[in-house]
Amino acid sequence: MKKIVNFIWQWKLFSLAVIALLVSLPLYFTGLHTAAYIILAIVSLSEVFPLLWDMVTDIRSGSYGVDILAATAIVAAVLLRQYWAAIVVVIMLTGGKSLEDYADHRALSELNSLLSHAPTTAHLIKNKKQVDVKASEIKVGDIFIVKPGELVPTDGVITSGQSSFDESSLTGESIPLVKSEKELLLSGSINLDSPVTVRSSSSAKDSQYQQIIKLVESAAASKAPFVRLADKYSIPFTLIAYAIAGSVWALSGHAIRFLEVIIVATPCPLLLAAPIALISGMSSASRLGIIVRTGSALERLAQAKTIAFDKTGTLTSAKLKIDKVTSFNGFKNNEVLTYAASLEQFSNHVIAKAVIAEAQKEKLKLVKVKGLKEIAGLGLKASLKGQTLVVGRASLLSQEGIKLPEDLVHPKQANTIVYVGLADKLVGYINLSDQIRPEAKKTLQTLKNLGIKHFLLVTGDNRQVAESVGSELGIEDISSDELPADKLKTVEKYPDRPVAFVGDGVNDSPVLAAADVGIALGARGSTAASESADMVIMPDDLSRVAAAYLIAKHTFKIARQSILAGIGLSVILMVVFASGHFLPVYGAVLQEVVDVVVIFNALRAHTTKYVSEAI
Ligand code: ADP
Ligand code: MG
């Protein structure tokens, strides 16, 4: 009973119309025609007002409400004493709006379920004792315990213990991951079997889970593009409907003929199909760990002709291998590594991770530096006992006035190289290699089959490495040695648009923001990147790019198909009813059938089965 009351209250207008119909039917059949008609007329007309009000606010906010046809139909039906037809149009219209609300609601409820899974408490270790505190009170460096079955309160590193963790709410990855000492835990993941001790690496507010909530919030707040899609069709459609209805009236001399046409022209599918398809598409994407921030991003991705890829960490896996360390000017190999790691410990770059790991393996003691600065796309700089220490690209060392031997500036082998310089001397360099991701080749092939015309490779790495990766993957358009600003220009000036850019996020923020669609892969990268991206793919899996593209295309195909089918069926009905052989109330009922069919078609965008089949 409570449910029914809630339903009626939530969808008042729709319920009122249905109740009016249910009350007037028995009245009519017991001979009380006038009473039935009065109820129908009052309810129908009173529901026109909220409709008109919505229309006014719509027009003010810049979108043209196509509801005007429906409002005309209701008023005309009452004036022409077609009360049954009037109430059916009202039911159809308010029912449609309720459905739209419901779809909106579902997007919001996804957000709510995220919020309700947000970690709230933590078992902090303070003076060797366990104290329970709010997750929001955890500071960087705090030690806490996560027991089995509990959520990890903030991002952090395991200091003792081992357990498996379910990260599915973060990355969409359903297989639990075993993590032990020194490994990173993400807030919001669930500890599945044994207790672990963790040192927090960021506050709750800056942790992964809150970042995701922020992303989803911004996604839920945007739904602009579908209005545009429907707008494109709605104005001509409205004009045509009035033209047909007006001419039939003029030719026959009967106002009822006008109504017969207008009633079947009420373009509910036009209003509903697109938003329903969009919301369904976005939520199916999120089930695969793909967070789409705006509907218009999904639309641009559906139309993308070109995809540009960052190399390191995107086409290649985020784990680099150290191949060789070479020293110069009397320095030792271990010094090269020590200096490099002393700076890299403050960087998020994939190169940094590899260097730090190597230094740890060699058990090197790092040196203390001052005034550390990371120069995006170039490397790091700091001062060591009054001398400048730099780690990064050849050009960064040149900037510091360090001369490199010619064969180092233009190396022959396809190898990522990081140089280390102290004061005006070259200390040495580290050769690293990265492996192309196992899924990369297939992903590019799938994207090509699905309709992407061009692939670009834009990287800060050197020409040789870029070309070897490019040729292995069949990418011809290669831009190498690019700074973040150059990447932006390369993507911005590329002629065949829209261009999507896919990057791991490190040093990619400007180009992610500037591309028609910026896609950040593996949201473990910097949060700055996920803020400038239009889409964030949580799992560290390149094939989800193809999934995102496929979902975008599929969603828009369904949206367009639903709109066109709705219009097509309405036009056919208009022509049929223009003949004057059918009562308006049948028209209203038939139109309702069209709506339901179209809306159910739009809901097809909710599945993800087709994605797993194609990718
Ligand atoms: P990509 O476009 O391939 O992802 P980036 O723009 O992140 O590369 O970096 C470009 C180049 O700048 C790297 O190949 C490296 O030589 C240098 N570099 C950038 N950041 C760092 C860092 N933290 N440590 C060492 N080298 C770096
Ligand atoms: Mg990169």
Side-chain angles (χ1 to χ4, degrees), residues 504-571:
D504 67 335
V506 180
N507 297 337
D508 292 333
S509 301
V511 58
L512 279 170
D516 299 314
V517 192
I519 304 176
L521 181 67
R524 284 145 215 234
S526 64
T527 44
S530 29
E531 267 162 34
S532 47
D534 298 299
M535 265 177 220
V536 178
I537 297 182
M538 305 300 299
D540 196 23
D541 173 3
L542 192 65
S543 74
R544 303 282 163 120
V545 175
Y549 179 60
L550 183 58
I551 289 174
K553 283 197 95 150
H554 186 73
T555 303
F556 274 83
K557 197 175 94 196
I558 288 180
R560 194 161 297 117
Q561 193 185 58
S562 308
I563 289 177
L564 292 178
I567 291 180
L569 290 170
S570 287
V571 169

